[in-house]
Amino acid sequence: WGGVASLLAYVSFVFASKRMEDRFLIAYAIVACIFGLLMMIAWSSSLPLPSYLSRFVAGYLIVNMGFMTGRPVTFSLYSKLTPEKSQGAYLGYMVAGGSFARATGPFVAVFVYYHIGKGRNTLVLFGSIATIMMTCLAVMLTLWSSLIPASDKEKSSGGKVSSHHSEGLSMHVDRANDNVTK
């Protein structure tokens, strides 16, 4: 079922990406993942197993669809916002971070699942991931106006925008590295 969910997410992503800005798609993906993760938590130990399993599978499919929508558009937006001369390095850091998470995540998940008291393990496991996703959503909403690539700002304003605004997040990244060039 995960493959079917991924395929549906990809097809819907293709259509949605032509009609929506990247930042809206990322926000949708994060909200979908949070909702799916919350569905995967066993909130009550008295819940019958078939009922929990059906909710768990539905939550898994929603998380999968959110991830399959969010990952490509996140890479796309990130590459549009990073300075051209540093894109390779910054995208490499992003991919390395994801690889590290995929390599260590299963070990952490198994440890948490088996070493936390029964009944709380899904709460700690999926609840902590949902909390991280909520934090990401809060950071994204805080930076919302900076998440528009310069080319999109020019299209919406009908021409050129000031050099300060057209540099978007790239200028902030360069300033953080003391490499401001105009």
Side-chain angles (χ1 to χ4, degrees):
W1 287 104
V4 172
S6 296
L7 183 61
L8 287 173
Y10 178 74
V11 170
S12 63
F13 168 73
V14 169
F15 290 112
S17 65
K18 294 178 182 177
R19 293 174 177 77
M20 297 174 71
E21 292 179 24
D22 292 348
R23 59 190 182 157
F24 287 104
L25 288 171
I26 295 171
Y28 152 76
I30 292 173
V31 169
C33 286
I34 292 168
F35 181 71
L37 287 164
L38 293 177
M39 286 180 67
M40 294 167 73
I41 295 172
W43 294 102
S44 170
S45 60
S46 63
L47 190 66
L49 186 61
S51 177
Y52 171 68
L53 283 179
S54 63
R55 198 178 74 215
F56 181 88
V57 169
Y60 167 77
L61 293 175
I62 292 170
V63 168
N64 197 8
M65 291 179 72
F67 181 77
M68 295 307 296
T69 301
R71 189 166 191 265
V73 77
T74 300
F75 277 99
S76 172
L77 183 61
Y78 190 72
S79 69
K80 291 175 188 176
L81 295 174
T82 54
E84 208 171 297
K85 65 181 178 178
S86 305
Q87 275 184 352
Y90 290 151
L91 287 168
Y93 297 146
M94 188 173 176
V95 170
S99 297
F100 178 76
R102 282 189 302 278
T104 59
F107 296 106
V108 172
V110 167
F111 177 82
V112 167
Y113 190 82
Y114 287 110
H115 289 86
I116 301 294
K118 187 173 176 152
R120 293 187 331 208
N121 48 11
T122 61
L123 176 63
V124 172
L125 184 61
F126 300 125
S128 62
I129 299 168
T131 302
I132 292 169
M133 297 295 284
M134 288 178 205
T135 304
C136 291
L137 184 61
V139 169
M140 182 183 177
L141 294 175
T142 302
L143 297 173
W144 190 261
S145 63
S146 299
L147 297 176
I148 303 174
S151 61
D152 291 349
K153 287 181 183 180
E154 291 172 7
K155 287 178 197 172
S156 65
S157 68
K160 284 286 186 188
V161 293
S162 72
S163 64
H164 171 73
H165 290 353
S166 68
E167 292 168 359
L169 194 58
S170 302
M171 184 172 175
H172 300 294
V173 171
D174 277 349
R175 279 193 183 152
N177 294 326
D178 293 328
N179 294 329
V180 175
T181 55
K182 291 194 177 193

